[in-house]
Amino acid sequence: MLDVYRRTVTRFPIGNVSYMFAYGSGVKQQVGYDQKKSTNNVIDLIFCVRDSLGFHAENVYRHASHYSAMRFMGPNLLARYQDDLGARVYFNTLVPLQDLGITIKYGVVHEDNLVDDLINWRYLYLAGRLQKPVTGLVNLSDNPRLQSAIDRNLLSACETALLLLPEKFTAYQLFHAIAGLSYKGDFRMIFGENKQKVHNIVAPQMADFFALYQPTMKQLAEYVAVNMHGEEPGSLKPSITFEQDKSRAATRFHLRHLPQELRRRLQKNAACRGDYCEVVEHLCITPLLPKIVQVSVNDIVWRSSISQSIKNIATAGIFKSLQYSYRKAKKTFA
């Protein structure tokens, strides 16, 4: 598949791209999807660019002689050019590449906006996708700023999951909690997504999740211990289990290191008023902490999922948006 990805991305102006990754059921194994046999799976691509306007302009020019510009850019080009004005990511969906026998959906985001989402969880949109295994198509060794933001996002995801989990938990529970951060609260989970989406992502990708989060878990070794010979609840099979420090000091540490937007939501949802340090002291002792954290995460995702869907209609066009929504809805009733 890597050869297909490379042949696909060379059709875009990659000289302006600082990072690219592929994700979704057409790329990573999920329960219920056969990547080799299914013709319905769409390959999802994200282009992180240094100059959004330049990328879009060159993209139109590059494909004007071979394809309709509409096919690659959607009907509202000017809306895409607002990317530098604080927007998150613009998608063009259901783009057929007939010579490769695939269909792609691609999104474009400015590097500054991606870094902001990774560090602060402003929208928890692309940050949520990068909390799960993806196929990176660019080596980030020359971009320490973006690599640091990606690592920070993984650490934030892990610490948030620890606040949601009990003292003892399995590896599956950990990765399910992490993968669920960007899905719970998404209005599309009500209609348009498979209700077992999180399980379908985690179950076949346990090894990939371990590889992704192993460095992060080492950073949290003071607060989390691993048992390589534990048992899955209700099962006699050996499993990797964890035990975390649930003391007030440990909880305080995690709460103080959460992303800025999540801290803001926690401060709003806590049953006390004051600055964030005062709110943390209250949250450290309340048994409702997991619920408050989950509601606060959901607040970010809910608002982001609605605004992103509205934006996709404007940039991809109503017909393509309906087509894509129909494909998603079919999964709900599969």
Side-chain angles (χ1 to χ4, degrees), residues 270-272 277-286 292:
C272 73
C277 289
E278 293 173 307
V279 170
V280 164
E281 294 308 312
H282 165 75
L283 292 175
C284 282
I285 60 174
T286 177
I292 297 172

Side-chain angles (χ1 to χ4, degrees), residues 12-264:
F12 293 85
I14 58 177
N16 185 23
V17 173
S18 56
Y19 185 49
M20 294 182 289
F21 65 90
Y23 67 98
S25 58
V27 177
K28 290 293 184 180
Q29 185 180 358
Q30 293 186 23
V31 174
Y33 298 94
D34 189 325
Q35 292 171 270
K36 295 181 180 179
K37 296 181 180 179
S38 177
T39 58
N40 293 321
N41 290 347
V42 176
I43 293 179
D44 298 278
L45 295 167
I46 294 293
F47 295 91
C48 172
V49 301
R50 303 179 188 91
D51 174 10
S52 305
L53 179 59
F55 178 91
H56 292 312
E58 187 177 346
N59 199 29
V60 170
Y61 177 81
R62 175 183 286 241
H63 297 104
S65 60
H66 299 289
Y67 298 94
S68 162
M70 291 293 188
R71 178 174 297 178
F72 269 81
M73 294 297 294
N76 191 346
L77 305 185
L78 291 178
R80 286 170 177 266
Y81 295 161
Q82 306 301 319
D83 198 18
D84 286 316
L85 302 179
R88 297 182 301 287
V89 56
Y90 289 98
F91 281 100
N92 192 21
T93 189
L94 299 181
V95 178
L97 302 181
Q98 295 177 348
D99 57 321
L100 296 181
I102 61 173
T103 299
I104 68 170
K105 178 182 81 172
Y106 72 91
V108 181
V109 64
H110 193 283
E111 183 177 309
D112 291 344
N113 292 332
L114 177 57
V115 168
D116 179 48
D117 198 30
L118 290 168
I119 293 176
N120 298 313
W121 286 12
R122 190 81 61 199
Y123 309 104
L124 196 49
Y125 194 79
L126 291 181
R129 277 152 177 74
L130 287 168
Q131 288 164 2
K132 298 175 277 290
V134 301
T135 297
L137 303 175
V138 169
N139 188 330
L140 287 175
S141 59
D142 294 330
N143 194 332
R145 172 185 180 239
L146 187 51
Q147 183 63 69
S148 176
I150 289 173
D151 294 341
R152 177 68 244 183
N153 179 47
L154 296 177
L155 182 60
S156 297
C158 205
E159 291 195 281
T160 304
L162 290 176
L163 293 171
L164 296 172
L165 290 165
E167 183 178 5
K168 296 181 180 180
F169 52 91
T170 65
Y172 173 83
Q173 288 174 314
L174 171 63
F175 298 139
H176 192 281
I178 289 173
L181 292 174
S182 58
Y183 281 109
K184 292 182 180 179
D186 189 331
F187 87 99
R188 291 167 296 187
M189 292 300 292
I190 300 173
F191 179 82
E193 277 289 5
N194 189 316
K195 298 302 184 289
Q196 297 297 314
K197 180 75 172 181
V198 177
H199 167 78
N200 293 348
I201 291 173
V202 175
Q205 296 187 58
M206 289 291 289
D208 290 340
F209 271 98
F210 268 113
L212 183 62
Y213 280 95
Q214 188 173 23
T216 303
M217 296 305 293
K218 288 181 179 179
Q219 287 183 261
L220 296 172
E222 183 179 347
Y223 301 98
V224 185
V226 59
N227 178 6
M228 301 296 292
H229 305 288
E231 289 187 0
E232 192 85 30
S235 171
L236 298 179
K237 296 191 302 181
S239 175
I240 297 176
T241 60
F242 297 90
E243 184 170 350
Q244 66 165 317
D245 181 355
K246 296 291 282 187
S247 68
R248 185 182 299 186
T251 302
R252 183 185 297 114
F253 176 84
H254 297 319
L255 287 169
R256 287 180 174 176
H257 288 84
L258 295 177
Q260 183 183 70
E261 183 62 22
L262 182 53
R263 296 200 306 265
R264 190 178 74 82

